[in-house]
Amino acid sequence: MPISDYVSPEVRRAALLALVVSSHYLWRQLVNYLVPDPYLDEVFHIPQAQAYWEGRWTQWDPKITTPPALYIFSYVVNLFRWGWDPSEYTLDAGELRLSNLILLYMLLLALYVWTAVTRREVNEQSVLQREYCILSFPLLFFFSGLYYTDIFSTLAVVVAYSFWLAGSQAEGWWRAFFQVMHLLFGLVSLASRQTNIFWVAIFLGGLQVVETLKQGVGDDKIHDPPISETYFEDFSTVIISLAQHALPILPRLILDLWPHLALLGSFAAFVVWNGGVVLGDKSNHVASLHGPQLLYLFPFIVFFSWPALLPQVSVVLGNLRANLPRPAMFLGFTVVAIVMVHLNTLVHPFTLADNRHYPFYIFRYFILPPYRKYLAAPVYVACGWLCIVALGPASTAATARISTTMSKSSADGTRTIEFARADTVHVSFVLIFLISTALSLVTAPLVEPRYFLIPWLIWRLHVPELLESDAAKEHWVQKSSGNNTSEYSSTFSRKVLDTVASYAPSIELLWYMAINVLTGYLFLYRPFIWTQEPGKLQRFMW
């Protein structure tokens, strides 16, 4: 019998929350005990936040590249914690790090709101497991114990996204209210990290264009098939279709895009005033074209989120001929990747000068050796294909709406599990996502895993959720709404893969926890010393 027959969703939800909360609490306590002093970028962030706390609002460290939203948030939080007279209490690293733990659980609430606003039918059996997995994502987990800007930046983007979604579905004064809130939180996101302009203005602006077009000229007139029913040629056809229908309703488009245009105008004004995008240390953060940065994203997603891909891989293996990309197309994209790698692989001085970060070892062993970087080109393409396929149920007969019901038995005695998704991702979304991701990544010469955090999160939020079953099931099938059912062969290997795929949500959470244990252990208990800085401990980190 399935686990859900013995344990109610409420109990499972409480158990998962207890696991996630206790792990974050333990991580924070260990970091504060073993690394009590500011470490790495905290050396800049913590003194700046302390300066604000002490009323020195005009002081600014020229090495800090991002705006001060996190420091202001910490100021407000600690005012409520310690009273309205900052002079009576001195903030240390541990107190400031608590800000990120608070932000992490604000992110949990924001993710729940995002799911509710999308009007998807919430699967009771999933008990918010996707949201708990996101909170345990290794980068979010790791930096929840330190004083970095990433969690605040991610939260602001999710909130702005939620207000845009609410505004796109509302009418009248409510629509105007949500648009204003989207603008305000878009500005907040820019006050935490400048590159968020590509998400709160470009990405959401692109989605708004598609939404306005479908409302204005009719959904049936726009060529925008679900990604599960798409061929490569559809991408160019969708672009042409959107462009053709945009011109006749251009005034309405501009009216609906006013929050996005206001954000772009604000960002442009900041760049002119500041003389560039980054606030400080401009000599080491010069924008430059770095095409392979986009390619690096896809192995990043597959490495961290392979459990979320298992259901799609299982479906693809069920019908290789129908679901695999055409050889000519795969070869063509591989050639493009090789050309990008050959002409535009950049190695920032910081990458090879700092062996405390994992990218140092990736570049040393996989990117810099002759010819090895070219062998990675087909891996980039295969991972990119997997990431895109995962956004829509992989079936030749998939439809725009996938049933959320689960049949406990079928005529042949097998159990059936289906994707819990009220709609599916369309080609226009993938195009807008890829464009926004490229703009946010290819202008950065430095490779840092934290740069991939928001693209990963947007992708992960749009991967269809899967209903879980128990180990007793024979195999699962994906059914289209009233259409053909694609069943799998009953070979032993197929049964194993299908059974494992049905537990994808649980495997994902366990995988993240395993990575967190390993990276946390290395950071806390395996420090080392540089010969040029004797007596000072260095630690491995993202």
Side-chain angles (χ1 to χ4, degrees):
M1 296 180 68
I3 295 175
S4 57
D5 287 352
Y6 298 99
V7 182
S8 68
E10 291 76 14
V11 173
R12 295 179 62 201
R13 184 182 295 111
L16 281 176
L17 183 59
L19 173 65
V20 172
V21 170
S22 60
S23 63
H24 283 123
Y25 178 78
L26 177 62
W27 169 242
R28 177 178 180 272
Q29 293 296 101
L30 290 173
V31 171
N32 287 337
Y33 178 72
L34 296 172
V35 194
D37 298 322
Y39 183 73
L40 213 59
D41 286 3
E42 286 187 321
V43 172
F44 308 112
H45 296 310
I46 288 177
Q48 185 61 54
Q50 290 171 336
Y52 281 10
W53 178 250
E54 295 167 4
R56 291 178 276 121
W57 294 97
T58 58
Q59 178 178 323
W60 184 259
D61 189 333
K63 288 292 184 180
I64 297 176
T65 62
T66 53
L70 176 62
Y71 318 136
I72 297 172
F73 174 82
S74 298
Y75 180 87
V76 174
V77 166
N78 284 286
L79 277 182
F80 283 100
R81 293 185 65 215
W82 303 112
W84 295 95
D85 188 1
S87 63
E88 295 182 358
Y89 191 84
T90 300
L91 295 182
D92 59 13
E95 295 294 342
L96 287 170
R97 288 167 177 168
L98 180 61
S99 301
N100 269 338
L101 194 63
I102 295 172
L103 286 167
L104 192 68
Y105 289 97
M106 291 174 64
L107 178 61
L108 175 62
L109 177 61
L111 291 171
Y112 180 76
V113 171
W114 183 92
T115 302
V117 173
T118 58
R119 294 184 177 178
R120 291 183 173 85
E121 296 181 36
V122 179
N123 168 27
E124 188 182 55
Q125 294 188 12
S126 70
V127 293
L128 291 177
Q129 188 154 325
R130 181 185 63 184
E131 286 72 20
Y132 295 149
C133 282
I134 290 173
L135 248 63
S136 301
F137 183 68
L139 270 69
L140 288 172
F141 181 94
F142 187 91
F143 289 107
S144 69
L146 297 174
Y147 194 64
Y148 275 62
T149 61
D150 302 274
I151 298 179
F152 188 101
S153 170
T154 304
L155 171 64
V157 170
V158 173
V159 174
Y161 194 176
S162 298
F163 277 118
W164 173 81
L165 282 168
S168 67
Q169 300 167 6
E171 297 179 356
W173 288 106
W174 276 113
R175 180 180 181 86
F177 170 77
F178 289 131
Q179 287 177 329
V180 170
M181 296 303 294
H182 165 214
L183 172 61
L184 290 178
F185 276 93
L187 292 172
V188 170
S189 75
L190 296 181
S192 62
R193 179 159 294 172
Q194 299 92 315
T195 53
N196 286 342
I197 188 66
F198 300 115
W199 299 106
V200 298
I202 304 299
F203 173 70
L204 296 182
L207 297 184
Q208 182 61 61
V209 168
V210 175
E211 184 72 18
T212 300
L213 287 175
K214 290 183 176 181
Q215 291 177 357
V217 302
D219 197 350
D220 56 330
K221 295 183 179 180
I222 304 294
H223 181 75
D224 190 17
I227 198 65
S228 55
E229 300 177 2
T230 299
Y231 293 97
F232 177 69
E233 294 81 2
D234 285 309
F235 284 84
S236 59
T237 306
V238 168
I239 295 174
I240 295 172
S241 177
L242 293 175
Q244 287 177 338
H245 291 93
L247 289 177
I249 61 169
L250 190 58
R252 178 176 173 179
L253 277 174
I254 295 176
L255 182 63
D256 286 347
L257 287 171
W258 75 263
H260 314 82
L261 297 176
L263 289 169
L264 287 171
S266 301
F267 179 75
F270 164 79
V271 172
V272 172
W273 168 79
N274 184 54
V277 175
V278 296
L279 279 174
D281 200 18
K282 296 179 181 179
S283 61
N284 289 315
H285 294 83
V286 179
S288 55
L289 185 63
H290 189 191
Q293 183 94 281
L294 177 62
L295 300 178
Y296 302 151
L297 169 68
F298 300 119
F300 173 91
I301 292 177
V302 172
F303 172 78
F304 284 108
S305 295
W306 62 265
L309 296 170
L310 284 175
Q312 297 295 2
V313 171
S314 184
V315 174
V316 168
L317 291 179
N319 192 350
L320 286 174
R321 180 175 297 180
N323 291 318
L324 283 180
R326 286 169 288 181
M329 184 182 69
F330 186 87
L331 179 62
F333 277 106
T334 301
V335 171
V336 171
I338 291 174
V339 172
M340 291 174 63
V341 167
H342 179 73
L343 298 178
N344 197 220
T345 296
L346 300 182
V347 183
H348 196 280
F350 285 1
T351 302
L352 298 182
D354 196 339
N355 65 344
R356 296 170 295 185
H357 296 288
Y358 297 128
F360 169 88
Y361 302 94
I362 296 174
F363 269 77
R364 182 177 179 179
Y365 295 109
F366 298 101
I367 304 298
L368 292 181
Y371 306 111
R372 194 170 295 180
K373 62 182 179 182
Y374 301 110
L375 296 178
V379 176
Y380 298 145
V381 177
C383 290
W385 173 76
L386 276 174
C387 293
I388 293 174
V389 164
L391 293 174
S395 170
T396 55
T399 60
R401 287 186 60 86
I402 304 298
S403 174
T404 61
T405 60
M406 181 175 72
S407 171
K408 291 193 174 183
S409 62
S410 58
D412 60 356
T414 62
R415 294 175 57 84
T416 300
I417 296 182
E418 301 173 354
F419 289 105
R421 183 68 181 266
D423 62 355
T424 189
V425 170
H426 290 253
V427 173
S428 60
F429 176 90
V430 175
L431 282 169
I432 295 164
F433 171 75
L434 292 176
I435 291 171
S436 303
T437 302
L439 290 173
S440 68
L441 294 179
V442 300
T443 55
L446 180 63
V447 177
E448 282 200 37
R450 293 181 296 144
Y451 295 168
F452 303 139
L453 180 55
I454 293 180
W456 169 83
L457 178 60
I458 298 296
W459 174 87
R460 186 63 189 87
L461 286 173
H462 290 84
V463 173
E465 290 186 83
L466 186 70
L467 299 175
E468 287 193 51
S469 78
D470 60 296
K473 74 179 181 61
E474 289 293 324
H475 66 279
W476 65 271
V477 297
Q478 177 203 9
K479 295 176 62 179
S480 299
S481 301
N483 290 314
N484 296 331
T485 300
S486 176
E487 292 205 25
Y488 295 61
S489 63
S490 58
T491 63
F492 176 77
S493 59
R494 181 57 49 75
K495 287 182 180 181
V496 171
L497 176 60
D498 294 344
T499 300
V500 172
S502 71
Y503 285 102
S506 297
I507 296 173
E508 183 180 20
L509 182 59
L510 293 174
W511 171 241
Y512 290 163
M513 289 297 186
I515 296 176
N516 293 334
V517 170
L518 176 61
T519 53
Y521 173 78
L522 292 175
F523 178 78
L524 295 173
Y525 298 105
R526 283 293 179 264
F528 58 97
I529 297 177
W530 284 344
T531 55
Q532 65 270 30
E533 295 185 15
K536 184 177 181 180
L537 294 180
Q538 311 297 334
R539 301 177 183 274
F540 295 107
M541 64 182 297
W542 294 109

